[in-house]
Amino acid sequence: ENVSLLFKLYCLTVMTLVAATYTVALRYTRTVETELYFSTTAVCITEVIKLFLSVGILAKETGSLARLITSLKENVFGSPTELLKLSVPSLVYALQNNMAFVALSNLDAAVYQVTYQLKIPCTALCTVLMLNRTLSKLQWFSVFMLCGGVTLVQWKPVQATKVQVEQNPWLGFGAIAVAVLCSGFAGVYFEKVLKSSDTSLWVRNIQMYLSGIAVTLLGVYMSDGAQVLEKGFFYGYTYYVWFVIFLASVGGLYTSVVVKYTDNIMKGFSAAAAIVLSTVASVILFGLQITVTFLLGALLVCISIYLYGLPRQDTTKIQPSETKSSKERLATV
């Protein structure tokens, strides 16, 4: 399907702005709001809202209630295999989030920050291996430049603490390796499912969000089950919290649109740009101090985005597997 460059840029721009606004709003709710809410319930509600939004868009796409019901029966409730297929990224993302928490608990913040950015080149590698694509040497260079730029943008000096926390570095590095692999695999897997059939994007979203609701409900039970029963599912929710949830929902939908019409690597570049924008907004709103490392990282991010976007072969479509073997594609790295 031919999609204009203007539309792709529009999708990437909107996703960047939404992600940046979401980051700033989330920072506000976790620092300014006096009564904290349960983040696990917020994630669950986000999945529910994304499901309803996808159903609404699919209803507009089909044009009538009867066609909507028929589409849901055929592609969702009447197709357990497809539903199971889309449950894979939900489960992998859940594993990724848990492994990231384990890694952060067993590694210094600076070490975690640097190693976790390996998810960017890992996504590029999964794209080459799973989607039969090729990246030029300049594109690989821009991917690693982006990785370094994001690391510098988020870099914070190590602060001494009187509390000595027992850490297991080997466990931390193992967990971060699993999290990085999960991030790359889940994103590219979802992209492959989207682009390997003519099934509507919103049908695919519904299939994934149904399993996502089940996974997040399990997360609520395991992490905050007793407190949720005691204080209530919506404890601590304010208008700002609902605004954060709304932004997360819209951002999730736009992410799927970006993956459908561009690719996961461009999604990574968009996320990096959102980090830079949200940091600049935090300077204005929260008095965050700009550092030399931030300026250098922001410069690297901008240059990497420019280099990756130079005229090249279209890599947003899945190429036939016969064109090149995995070894031939990796030879360009």
mmCIF file of all heavy atoms in Angstrom, residues 31-68:
data_model
loop_
_atom_site.group_PDB
_atom_site.id
_atom_site.type_symbol
_atom_site.label_atom_id
_atom_site.label_comp_id
_atom_site.label_asym_id
_atom_site.label_seq_id
_atom_site.Cartn_x
_atom_site.Cartn_y
_atom_site.Cartn_z
ATOM 1 N N THR A 31 4.828 13.924 40.765
ATOM 2 C CA THR A 31 5.634 14.809 41.603
ATOM 3 C C THR A 31 4.815 15.916 42.266
ATOM 4 O O THR A 31 5.095 16.298 43.402
ATOM 5 C CB THR A 31 6.747 15.479 40.764
ATOM 6 O OG1 THR A 31 6.164 16.178 39.665
ATOM 7 C CG2 THR A 31 7.716 14.441 40.238
ATOM 8 N N VAL A 32 3.816 16.439 41.564
ATOM 9 C CA VAL A 32 3.036 17.554 42.090
ATOM 10 C C VAL A 32 1.785 17.079 42.818
ATOM 11 O O VAL A 32 1.421 17.609 43.867
ATOM 12 C CB VAL A 32 2.653 18.528 40.952
ATOM 13 C CG1 VAL A 32 1.838 19.694 41.486
ATOM 14 C CG2 VAL A 32 3.914 19.039 40.261
ATOM 15 N N GLU A 33 1.129 16.071 42.276
ATOM 16 C CA GLU A 33 -0.078 15.551 42.903
ATOM 17 C C GLU A 33 0.260 14.966 44.268
ATOM 18 O O GLU A 33 1.231 14.220 44.430
ATOM 19 C CB GLU A 33 -0.706 14.467 42.027
ATOM 20 C CG GLU A 33 -1.239 14.982 40.696
ATOM 21 C CD GLU A 33 -2.575 15.659 40.828
ATOM 22 O OE1 GLU A 33 -3.590 14.968 40.986
ATOM 23 O OE2 GLU A 33 -2.592 16.905 40.802
ATOM 24 N N THR A 34 -0.535 15.282 45.270
ATOM 25 C CA THR A 34 -0.225 14.848 46.638
ATOM 26 C C THR A 34 -0.622 13.404 46.900
ATOM 27 O O THR A 34 0.005 12.731 47.708
ATOM 28 C CB THR A 34 -0.947 15.756 47.651
ATOM 29 O OG1 THR A 34 -2.361 15.732 47.386
ATOM 30 C CG2 THR A 34 -0.440 17.184 47.539
ATOM 31 N N GLU A 35 -1.651 12.916 46.242
ATOM 32 C CA GLU A 35 -2.149 11.569 46.500
ATOM 33 C C GLU A 35 -1.846 10.680 45.297
ATOM 34 O O GLU A 35 -2.415 10.865 44.214
ATOM 35 C CB GLU A 35 -3.655 11.611 46.765
ATOM 36 C CG GLU A 35 -4.175 10.375 47.478
ATOM 37 C CD GLU A 35 -5.605 10.590 47.953
ATOM 38 O OE1 GLU A 35 -6.371 11.256 47.247
ATOM 39 O OE2 GLU A 35 -5.942 10.083 49.029
ATOM 40 N N LEU A 36 -0.937 9.727 45.481
ATOM 41 C CA LEU A 36 -0.531 8.877 44.369
ATOM 42 C C LEU A 36 -1.596 7.830 44.068
ATOM 43 O O LEU A 36 -2.245 7.291 44.960
ATOM 44 C CB LEU A 36 0.797 8.196 44.691
ATOM 45 C CG LEU A 36 2.023 9.115 44.774
ATOM 46 C CD1 LEU A 36 3.263 8.296 45.079
ATOM 47 C CD2 LEU A 36 2.204 9.886 43.482
ATOM 48 N N TYR A 37 -1.739 7.536 42.793
ATOM 49 C CA TYR A 37 -2.661 6.510 42.345
ATOM 50 C C TYR A 37 -1.889 5.228 42.071
ATOM 51 O O TYR A 37 -0.657 5.206 42.080
ATOM 52 C CB TYR A 37 -3.381 6.979 41.078
ATOM 53 C CG TYR A 37 -2.434 7.362 39.955
ATOM 54 C CD1 TYR A 37 -2.094 6.448 38.965
ATOM 55 C CD2 TYR A 37 -1.874 8.635 39.887
ATOM 56 C CE1 TYR A 37 -1.225 6.781 37.936
ATOM 57 C CE2 TYR A 37 -1.005 8.970 38.863
ATOM 58 C CZ TYR A 37 -0.679 8.048 37.901
ATOM 59 O OH TYR A 37 0.185 8.378 36.894
ATOM 60 N N PHE A 38 -2.617 4.139 41.825
ATOM 61 C CA PHE A 38 -1.974 2.868 41.495
ATOM 62 C C PHE A 38 -1.654 2.866 40.001
ATOM 63 O O PHE A 38 -2.561 2.900 39.171
ATOM 64 C CB PHE A 38 -2.876 1.687 41.847
ATOM 65 C CG PHE A 38 -3.209 1.600 43.316
ATOM 66 C CD1 PHE A 38 -4.523 1.703 43.748
ATOM 67 C CD2 PHE A 38 -2.210 1.413 44.259
ATOM 68 C CE1 PHE A 38 -4.833 1.619 45.086
ATOM 69 C CE2 PHE A 38 -2.508 1.334 45.594
ATOM 70 C CZ PHE A 38 -3.823 1.440 46.029
ATOM 71 N N SER A 39 -0.377 2.818 39.661
ATOM 72 C CA SER A 39 0.009 2.861 38.249
ATOM 73 C C SER A 39 -0.467 1.615 37.507
ATOM 74 O O SER A 39 -0.754 1.676 36.307
ATOM 75 C CB SER A 39 1.525 2.997 38.124
ATOM 76 O OG SER A 39 2.182 1.933 38.780
ATOM 77 N N THR A 40 -0.578 0.486 38.215
ATOM 78 C CA THR A 40 -1.027 -0.746 37.559
ATOM 79 C C THR A 40 -2.478 -0.627 37.084
ATOM 80 O O THR A 40 -2.817 -1.100 35.999
ATOM 81 C CB THR A 40 -0.887 -1.945 38.507
ATOM 82 O OG1 THR A 40 -1.548 -1.643 39.754
ATOM 83 C CG2 THR A 40 0.569 -2.267 38.787
ATOM 84 N N THR A 41 -3.319 0.012 37.898
ATOM 85 C CA THR A 41 -4.717 0.189 37.479
ATOM 86 C C THR A 41 -4.809 1.181 36.323
ATOM 87 O O THR A 41 -5.657 1.037 35.438
ATOM 88 C CB THR A 41 -5.593 0.673 38.648
ATOM 89 O OG1 THR A 41 -5.135 1.969 39.090
ATOM 90 C CG2 THR A 41 -5.525 -0.304 39.814
ATOM 91 N N ALA A 42 -3.926 2.190 36.328
ATOM 92 C CA ALA A 42 -3.929 3.173 35.231
ATOM 93 C C ALA A 42 -3.563 2.504 33.916
ATOM 94 O O ALA A 42 -4.155 2.799 32.863
ATOM 95 C CB ALA A 42 -2.955 4.305 35.544
ATOM 96 N N VAL A 43 -2.598 1.593 33.959
ATOM 97 C CA VAL A 43 -2.201 0.867 32.748
ATOM 98 C C VAL A 43 -3.364 0.012 32.253
ATOM 99 O O VAL A 43 -3.639 -0.065 31.049
ATOM 100 C CB VAL A 43 -0.969 -0.013 33.031
ATOM 101 C CG1 VAL A 43 -0.665 -0.905 31.831
ATOM 102 C CG2 VAL A 43 0.239 0.862 33.341
ATOM 103 N N CYS A 44 -4.077 -0.619 33.169
ATOM 104 C CA CYS A 44 -5.223 -1.462 32.800
ATOM 105 C C CYS A 44 -6.331 -0.620 32.163
ATOM 106 O O CYS A 44 -6.884 -0.997 31.124
ATOM 107 C CB CYS A 44 -5.740 -2.189 34.043
ATOM 108 S SG CYS A 44 -7.111 -3.316 33.701
ATOM 109 N N ILE A 45 -6.634 0.512 32.766
ATOM 110 C CA ILE A 45 -7.668 1.398 32.216
ATOM 111 C C ILE A 45 -7.261 1.900 30.837
ATOM 112 O O ILE A 45 -8.088 2.044 29.930
ATOM 113 C CB ILE A 45 -7.923 2.578 33.169
ATOM 114 C CG1 ILE A 45 -8.562 2.093 34.467
ATOM 115 C CG2 ILE A 45 -8.826 3.604 32.511
ATOM 116 C CD1 ILE A 45 -9.909 1.435 34.285
ATOM 117 N N THR A 46 -5.970 2.157 30.655
ATOM 118 C CA THR A 46 -5.474 2.590 29.348
ATOM 119 C C THR A 46 -5.769 1.547 28.278
ATOM 120 O O THR A 46 -6.212 1.881 27.168
ATOM 121 C CB THR A 46 -3.956 2.853 29.416
ATOM 122 O OG1 THR A 46 -3.690 3.885 30.366
ATOM 123 C CG2 THR A 46 -3.421 3.275 28.051
ATOM 124 N N GLU A 47 -5.538 0.274 28.601
ATOM 125 C CA GLU A 47 -5.816 -0.795 27.647
ATOM 126 C C GLU A 47 -7.309 -0.861 27.320
ATOM 127 O O GLU A 47 -7.688 -1.077 26.168
ATOM 128 C CB GLU A 47 -5.347 -2.141 28.216
ATOM 129 C CG GLU A 47 -3.842 -2.272 28.380
ATOM 130 C CD GLU A 47 -3.126 -2.223 27.048
ATOM 131 O OE1 GLU A 47 -3.472 -3.010 26.147
ATOM 132 O OE2 GLU A 47 -2.221 -1.379 26.897
ATOM 133 N N VAL A 48 -8.156 -0.650 28.337
ATOM 134 C CA VAL A 48 -9.608 -0.683 28.113
ATOM 135 C C VAL A 48 -10.028 0.459 27.187
ATOM 136 O O VAL A 48 -10.823 0.268 26.253
ATOM 137 C CB VAL A 48 -10.355 -0.589 29.462
ATOM 138 C CG1 VAL A 48 -11.858 -0.445 29.224
ATOM 139 C CG2 VAL A 48 -10.075 -1.818 30.323
ATOM 140 N N ILE A 49 -9.499 1.658 27.429
ATOM 141 C CA ILE A 49 -9.850 2.814 26.597
ATOM 142 C C ILE A 49 -9.366 2.600 25.158
ATOM 143 O O ILE A 49 -10.085 2.906 24.190
ATOM 144 C CB ILE A 49 -9.253 4.101 27.182
ATOM 145 C CG1 ILE A 49 -9.921 4.425 28.523
ATOM 146 C CG2 ILE A 49 -9.427 5.273 26.212
ATOM 147 C CD1 ILE A 49 -9.339 5.633 29.232
ATOM 148 N N LYS A 50 -8.157 2.070 24.999
ATOM 149 C CA LYS A 50 -7.654 1.798 23.648
ATOM 150 C C LYS A 50 -8.542 0.785 22.933
ATOM 151 O O LYS A 50 -8.765 0.899 21.720
ATOM 152 C CB LYS A 50 -6.208 1.289 23.727
ATOM 153 C CG LYS A 50 -5.191 2.369 24.060
ATOM 154 C CD LYS A 50 -3.772 1.913 23.858
ATOM 155 C CE LYS A 50 -3.335 0.904 24.897
ATOM 156 N NZ LYS A 50 -1.890 0.587 24.788
ATOM 157 N N LEU A 51 -9.052 -0.189 23.671
ATOM 158 C CA LEU A 51 -9.959 -1.177 23.079
ATOM 159 C C LEU A 51 -11.237 -0.506 22.579
ATOM 160 O O LEU A 51 -11.661 -0.729 21.439
ATOM 161 C CB LEU A 51 -10.293 -2.260 24.105
ATOM 162 C CG LEU A 51 -11.326 -3.303 23.674
ATOM 163 C CD1 LEU A 51 -10.822 -4.114 22.485
ATOM 164 C CD2 LEU A 51 -11.682 -4.225 24.839
ATOM 165 N N PHE A 52 -11.841 0.340 23.414
ATOM 166 C CA PHE A 52 -13.081 0.999 23.023
ATOM 167 C C PHE A 52 -12.855 1.972 21.864
ATOM 168 O O PHE A 52 -13.695 2.081 20.963
ATOM 169 C CB PHE A 52 -13.693 1.730 24.223
ATOM 170 C CG PHE A 52 -14.478 0.828 25.136
ATOM 171 C CD1 PHE A 52 -13.958 0.428 26.351
ATOM 172 C CD2 PHE A 52 -15.733 0.371 24.763
ATOM 173 C CE1 PHE A 52 -14.667 -0.403 27.196
ATOM 174 C CE2 PHE A 52 -16.465 -0.462 25.603
ATOM 175 C CZ PHE A 52 -15.931 -0.858 26.822
ATOM 176 N N LEU A 53 -11.731 2.683 21.874
ATOM 177 C CA LEU A 53 -11.429 3.591 20.771
ATOM 178 C C LEU A 53 -11.244 2.824 19.463
ATOM 179 O O LEU A 53 -11.712 3.263 18.400
ATOM 180 C CB LEU A 53 -10.167 4.399 21.089
ATOM 181 C CG LEU A 53 -10.296 5.481 22.165
ATOM 182 C CD1 LEU A 53 -8.932 6.114 22.438
ATOM 183 C CD2 LEU A 53 -11.301 6.555 21.752
ATOM 184 N N SER A 54 -10.583 1.682 19.535
ATOM 185 C CA SER A 54 -10.374 0.865 18.342
ATOM 186 C C SER A 54 -11.686 0.331 17.801
ATOM 187 O O SER A 54 -11.903 0.292 16.581
ATOM 188 C CB SER A 54 -9.422 -0.301 18.660
ATOM 189 O OG SER A 54 -8.146 0.160 19.023
ATOM 190 N N VAL A 55 -12.573 -0.086 18.713
ATOM 191 C CA VAL A 55 -13.895 -0.563 18.291
ATOM 192 C C VAL A 55 -14.664 0.569 17.618
ATOM 193 O O VAL A 55 -15.322 0.374 16.584
ATOM 194 C CB VAL A 55 -14.694 -1.119 19.492
ATOM 195 C CG1 VAL A 55 -16.146 -1.409 19.089
ATOM 196 C CG2 VAL A 55 -14.042 -2.385 20.024
ATOM 197 N N GLY A 56 -14.575 1.786 18.190
ATOM 198 C CA GLY A 56 -15.270 2.929 17.608
ATOM 199 C C GLY A 56 -14.749 3.268 16.217
ATOM 200 O O GLY A 56 -15.533 3.542 15.301
ATOM 201 N N ILE A 57 -13.419 3.234 16.049
ATOM 202 C CA ILE A 57 -12.844 3.529 14.733
ATOM 203 C C ILE A 57 -13.198 2.436 13.732
ATOM 204 O O ILE A 57 -13.476 2.716 12.559
ATOM 205 C CB ILE A 57 -11.319 3.688 14.846
ATOM 206 C CG1 ILE A 57 -10.988 4.880 15.737
ATOM 207 C CG2 ILE A 57 -10.688 3.867 13.469
ATOM 208 C CD1 ILE A 57 -9.524 5.043 16.037
ATOM 209 N N LEU A 58 -13.194 1.182 14.192
ATOM 210 C CA LEU A 58 -13.577 0.075 13.311
ATOM 211 C C LEU A 58 -15.033 0.208 12.889
ATOM 212 O O LEU A 58 -15.392 -0.093 11.738
ATOM 213 C CB LEU A 58 -13.341 -1.262 14.010
ATOM 214 C CG LEU A 58 -13.691 -2.518 13.204
ATOM 215 C CD1 LEU A 58 -12.826 -2.607 11.951
ATOM 216 C CD2 LEU A 58 -13.516 -3.779 14.059
ATOM 217 N N ALA A 59 -15.898 0.675 13.810
ATOM 218 C CA ALA A 59 -17.315 0.878 13.485
ATOM 219 C C ALA A 59 -17.460 1.927 12.384
ATOM 220 O O ALA A 59 -18.256 1.769 11.452
ATOM 221 C CB ALA A 59 -18.088 1.303 14.733
ATOM 222 N N LYS A 60 -16.664 2.987 12.471
ATOM 223 C CA LYS A 60 -16.700 4.021 11.431
ATOM 224 C C LYS A 60 -16.153 3.475 10.119
ATOM 225 O O LYS A 60 -16.645 3.805 9.034
ATOM 226 C CB LYS A 60 -15.886 5.231 11.884
ATOM 227 C CG LYS A 60 -15.946 6.395 10.912
ATOM 228 C CD LYS A 60 -15.179 7.597 11.448
ATOM 229 C CE LYS A 60 -15.256 8.762 10.453
ATOM 230 N NZ LYS A 60 -14.508 9.954 10.947
ATOM 231 N N GLU A 61 -15.154 2.619 10.210
ATOM 232 C CA GLU A 61 -14.539 2.037 9.017
ATOM 233 C C GLU A 61 -15.483 1.082 8.302
ATOM 234 O O GLU A 61 -15.546 1.056 7.069
ATOM 235 C CB GLU A 61 -13.254 1.309 9.418
ATOM 236 C CG GLU A 61 -12.390 0.836 8.269
ATOM 237 C CD GLU A 61 -11.108 0.171 8.744
ATOM 238 O OE1 GLU A 61 -11.164 -1.033 9.101
ATOM 239 O OE2 GLU A 61 -10.064 0.831 8.777
ATOM 240 N N THR A 62 -16.218 0.267 9.076
ATOM 241 C CA THR A 62 -17.147 -0.703 8.474
ATOM 242 C C THR A 62 -18.417 -0.030 7.977
ATOM 243 O O THR A 62 -19.038 -0.499 7.015
ATOM 244 C CB THR A 62 -17.510 -1.790 9.489
ATOM 245 O OG1 THR A 62 -17.992 -1.189 10.701
ATOM 246 C CG2 THR A 62 -16.294 -2.651 9.807
ATOM 247 N N GLY A 63 -18.832 1.057 8.639
ATOM 248 C CA GLY A 63 -19.964 1.829 8.135
ATOM 249 C C GLY A 63 -21.310 1.490 8.723
ATOM 250 O O GLY A 63 -22.256 2.243 8.543
ATOM 251 N N SER A 64 -21.437 0.372 9.414
ATOM 252 C CA SER A 64 -22.719 0.024 10.019
ATOM 253 C C SER A 64 -22.492 -0.909 11.196
ATOM 254 O O SER A 64 -21.461 -1.587 11.291
ATOM 255 C CB SER A 64 -23.650 -0.650 9.001
ATOM 256 O OG SER A 64 -23.154 -1.934 8.642
ATOM 257 N N LEU A 65 -23.469 -0.941 12.093
ATOM 258 C CA LEU A 65 -23.372 -1.788 13.278
ATOM 259 C C LEU A 65 -23.350 -3.262 12.896
ATOM 260 O O LEU A 65 -22.620 -4.062 13.498
ATOM 261 C CB LEU A 65 -24.550 -1.501 14.222
ATOM 262 C CG LEU A 65 -24.575 -2.306 15.529
ATOM 263 C CD1 LEU A 65 -23.322 -2.035 16.353
ATOM 264 C CD2 LEU A 65 -25.843 -1.978 16.328
ATOM 265 N N ALA A 66 -24.142 -3.630 11.884
ATOM 266 C CA ALA A 66 -24.205 -5.036 11.457
ATOM 267 C C ALA A 66 -22.852 -5.507 10.937
ATOM 268 O O ALA A 66 -22.386 -6.601 11.267
ATOM 269 C CB ALA A 66 -25.283 -5.202 10.388
ATOM 270 N N ARG A 67 -22.200 -4.666 10.130
ATOM 271 C CA ARG A 67 -20.884 -5.032 9.606
ATOM 272 C C ARG A 67 -19.835 -5.082 10.715
ATOM 273 O O ARG A 67 -18.917 -5.904 10.678
ATOM 274 C CB ARG A 67 -20.464 -4.031 8.535
ATOM 275 C CG ARG A 67 -21.284 -4.111 7.254
ATOM 276 C CD ARG A 67 -20.828 -3.060 6.261
ATOM 277 N NE ARG A 67 -21.609 -3.099 5.023
ATOM 278 C CZ ARG A 67 -21.462 -2.244 4.027
ATOM 279 N NH1 ARG A 67 -20.542 -1.280 4.124
ATOM 280 N NH2 ARG A 67 -22.212 -2.339 2.938
ATOM 281 N N LEU A 68 -19.973 -4.184 11.692
ATOM 282 C CA LEU A 68 -19.048 -4.197 12.830
ATOM 283 C C LEU A 68 -19.156 -5.508 13.595
ATOM 284 O O LEU A 68 -18.142 -6.148 13.911
ATOM 285 C CB LEU A 68 -19.355 -3.017 13.759
ATOM 286 C CG LEU A 68 -18.610 -3.020 15.101
ATOM 287 C CD1 LEU A 68 -17.109 -2.873 14.879
ATOM 288 C CD2 LEU A 68 -19.136 -1.903 16.005
#
